Amino acid sequence: MRSSVLSLSSARDGYSATPPLDRAVASALPTRLRPADLLRLTDEGAEDVLAGRYDHLLPADGLWPTEERWATRLIADDEVDVWLISWTPGKSTELHDHAGSLGALTVLSGALSEFRWNGTELRRRTLAAGDQASFPIGWVHDVVRAPAAVESVGPLDPTLSVHAYSPPLSAMSYYEVTGHGTLRRTKTVLTDQPEGDL
C-alpha cells in the first residue's frame, strides 16, 4: 500500500518512483562476467589445451615440473585472466581468497582436493578430470593435488587445471583457522599469479 502512495504522490509532483528504462543499472559485482561465464571459459580453455592450441606455452622439453607448481597465462585482457596450472604432490596453495575477483576452474587431468571454509569448518571435496567449480567473492579455500591423483597417474604425470578470474587477479588474502574455530586473515598480498605463490 505504501508503494502505491509513493507512486501517486511522486507522479503528482512530476517525479516517477520507477527508474527510467534507458539508464544503466550498475552490477553489484566487480565484473559483468558471471560464474557460468567463467566455467564456460575454463571448459573452452581445457578443450584448447587438449587440442594442442597452447602447445607453444607448455614446457619446451615436454617435462612437467615435479617440485613446484607451474602456470602459464592462456588469455589475458582487462576483464579476465585464464591460466593453465600444473600441480605437484604436497604443494598446497594455503587457505586464501581471490580478493575482489570471481573464479572458476576445470580439472583437465588428475584430481585436486579443495578444502573450503564453510563458516564453521573446512570441508573437503575432490575434483577429478572433467569436474568444474566456481568461486564467488569471499570464497576461502586451499587447493592441493589429490593423493588419489598421485597414486593413479604417478608422480611425473601432470595434474592440470584451467582457471579463470574476473576481474583479473590483483590481490589475495591468506587465512588460518584459529583455536576457537574461526578464520583469521594473516596477510594480503598484491599478485597477478593464480592460486598463490608459484
Side-chain angles (χ1 to χ4, degrees):
M1 184 70 169
R2 182 177 178 161
S3 63
S4 63
V5 172
L6 176 62
S7 297
L8 288 175
S9 68
S10 297
R12 191 174 44 235
D13 297 335
Y15 298 103
S16 171
T18 307
L21 295 177
D22 60 346
R23 189 177 95 194
V25 177
S27 170
L29 296 176
T31 177
R32 72 175 183 85
L33 297 178
R34 301 290 183 246
D37 300 318
L38 297 179
L39 289 168
R40 179 184 49 77
L41 286 170
T42 61
D43 190 47
E44 290 171 358
E47 288 177 14
D48 288 345
V49 168
L50 290 173
R53 292 186 185 94
Y54 291 112
D55 283 356
H56 63 286
L57 297 175
L58 303 182
D61 55 10
L63 297 175
W64 296 93
T66 58
E67 298 299 318
E68 299 295 330
R69 285 182 294 124
W70 172 92
T72 188
R73 189 179 274 135
L74 303 177
I75 299 170
D77 61 30
D78 292 341
E79 194 167 53
V80 67
D81 272 347
V82 179
W83 292 83
L84 173 65
I85 301 175
S86 172
W87 300 81
T88 56
K91 300 291 183 179
S92 81
T93 61
E94 300 180 40
L95 273 177
H96 68 280
D97 67 22
H98 303 119
S101 298
L102 301 173
L105 70 82
T106 296
V107 179
L108 194 56
S109 62
L112 297 174
S113 291
E114 179 195 34
F115 300 88
R116 180 183 65 88
W117 181 253
N118 71 0
T120 57
E121 64 183 353
L122 290 173
R123 300 292 302 258
R124 178 184 176 179
R125 68 175 166 173
T126 299
L127 301 166
D131 289 344
Q132 295 187 294
S134 65
F135 315 115
I137 291 175
W139 188 275
V140 175
H141 68 164
D142 185 5
V143 182
V144 65
R145 182 174 172 168
V150 174
E151 295 165 7
S152 66
V153 297
L156 299 178
D157 295 320
T159 291
L160 301 172
S161 56
V162 175
H163 298 241
Y165 305 97
S166 184
L169 285 177
S170 60
M172 292 174 60
S173 292
Y174 291 86
Y175 299 85
E176 67 182 9
V177 179
T178 70
H180 302 291
T182 60
L183 206 56
R184 176 187 312 140
R185 184 173 47 212
T186 58
K187 65 182 175 179
T188 299
V189 297
L190 298 177
T191 186
D192 70 347
Q193 297 295 306
E195 297 304 316
D197 294 331
L198 293 173

